Amino acid sequence: MAEDHHIARMAALALGLSVLEAAIPSPLPGVKPGLANIVTLIVLARYGWRTAVWVSLLRVLAGGLLFGNFLAPGFFLSLGGALCSLAMLAASQHLPQRWFGPVTHSILAAFAHIAGQLLLVYFWLIPHTGLLYLVPVFAVAALLFGTVNGLIAAHFLSEPDTDLAKAYILKTH
Amino acid sequence: MHSPLAYLKAGDYLILVSGCLLTVFLALTLWQGGAADKAIIRSGGKIFREVPLSRDQLIAVPGPLGISRISIHNRQARIAADPSPRQYCVRQGWLKQAGEIAVCLPNQVSIELSGGNKRYDSLNY
């Protein structure tokens, strides 16, 4: 029960970050920082992969309802990206922690996210090879935002305070 | 507040460098574009002519509104003149790489550059 509340709180925090970044203009649909993934990374490191799956999928579902694109293409793109990221994290979490930190998980998940979304777009929405021209742009975005989000997650993980929401509020005030 | 570098472990650098290499590789392979060697000119949906880009020439293509003039010059192709009202295809300018296409919808004339290796035979929507 306490764990359910915890998952809900983390998902709500992730959702808040999704809403926040929806206000940031993007040069290309699909290129956005993915700030909500910082929460997923922290949850992964502190509470394990299963909890991260819950938080991530709840965020996608609630985000779909909140943004009004539930079961629309945008929702399935979010879901596809999240599922690919989580699959990648399932593998990358077994990398030795001594050498691989949140930045590794973040970059790998960002690449998996964009790869999943591009495949979904190609096979479902736009079956045109012109899409290939956009792949390097998305790769640069994945690398950049993956690194930055990983660093932010690493920063929070180095804080002694285990209550993420509290830490977040303290940081912003 | 630590320096961001303090959060990076040895493996993180490995992944970061691999990500950079992958990105550079993707950009190099996907952005080189195929060199175009011929232009396919269509009128009313049917292939009107296929011309090599090696020879400079002017081609007049008839459509329902009148004549569209296509210019091939210096291994590039463009629609030089067209009777369509908004002139989108003319303003598109020179086409250089395989896969580039200019379409004059009102006059039903299009020009597409094609390279040696075409990745698909047909597309339908």
Side-chain angles (χ1 to χ4, degrees):
Chain A
M1 197 59 191
E3 205 202 339
D4 287 353
H5 283 175
H6 188 69
I7 289 173
R9 203 158 63 215
M10 294 292 112
L13 185 58
L15 192 61
L17 290 172
S18 298
V19 174
L20 188 78
E21 77 174 8
I24 303 171
S26 161
L28 193 68
V31 174
K32 52 182 181 177
L35 297 175
N37 299 319
I38 298 167
V39 178
T40 311
L41 287 167
I42 296 172
V43 171
L44 176 79
R46 288 227 169 112
Y47 308 100
W49 185 72
R50 279 172 187 280
T51 315
V53 170
W54 270 109
V55 169
S56 177
L57 294 185
L58 273 176
R59 194 259 303 163
V60 170
L61 184 72
L65 295 173
L66 196 62
F67 293 117
N69 65 359
F70 181 56
L71 298 185
F75 170 78
F76 285 109
L77 289 178
S78 283
L79 186 63
L83 288 174
C84 285
S85 295
L86 290 169
M88 179 59 95
L89 290 176
S92 77
Q93 64 166 342
H94 296 299
L95 287 168
Q97 282 188 10
R98 208 177 135 197
W99 294 303
F100 296 95
V103 177
T104 289
H105 303 307
S106 182
I107 294 174
L108 291 177
F111 274 106
H113 191 274
I114 206 59
Q117 287 194 327
L118 281 168
L119 287 174
L120 196 58
V121 168
Y122 181 74
F123 286 107
W124 181 37
L125 295 173
I126 314 170
H128 192 284
T129 46
L131 200 63
L132 288 173
Y133 284 97
L134 294 178
V135 170
V137 180
F138 285 119
V140 169
L143 188 62
L144 182 70
F145 294 133
T147 307
V148 171
N149 289 348
L151 287 171
I152 296 173
H155 175 71
F156 277 116
L157 284 167
S158 71
E159 301 268 308
D161 189 355
T162 48
D163 191 333
L164 181 64
K166 215 185 284 170
Y168 175 70
I169 291 162
L170 287 176
K171 283 274 164 227
T172 50
H173 288 290
Chain B
M1 185 74 200
H2 310 280
S3 141
L5 291 181
Y7 299 120
L8 288 171
K9 302 176 185 175
D12 294 336
Y13 282 108
L14 182 72
I15 297 289
L16 198 52
V17 170
S18 312
C20 291
L21 290 178
L22 176 68
T23 305
V24 170
F25 170 76
L26 285 174
L28 288 180
T29 48
L30 298 177
W31 280 351
Q32 64 178 356
D37 51 22
K38 68 175 178 177
I40 302 166
I41 300 165
R42 289 188 178 82
S43 175
K46 293 189 180 62
I47 291 183
F48 175 75
R49 267 175 79 183
E50 289 189 17
V51 291
L53 293 177
S54 48
R55 191 160 64 85
D56 293 355
Q57 57 184 320
L58 280 168
I59 301 157
V61 187
L65 295 186
I67 306 277
S68 296
R69 290 182 198 283
I70 287 165
S71 158
I72 311 252
H73 179 72
N74 197 17
R75 298 200 67 83
Q76 301 178 353
R78 69 163 174 168
I79 301 202
D82 180 75
S84 304
R86 280 174 289 274
Q87 302 282 304
Y88 288 134
C89 56
V90 177
R91 285 195 225 157
Q92 206 168 339
W94 292 101
L95 308 182
K96 302 179 189 77
Q97 291 192 326
E100 282 192 284
I101 186 163
V103 184
C104 303
L105 273 186
N107 207 26
Q108 297 178 17
V109 169
S110 75
I111 173 168
E112 179 186 359
L113 296 198
S114 128
N117 50 345
K118 210 173 171 187
R119 276 188 263 247
Y120 46 85
D121 294 328
S122 72
L123 280 175
N124 54 63
Y125 296 93

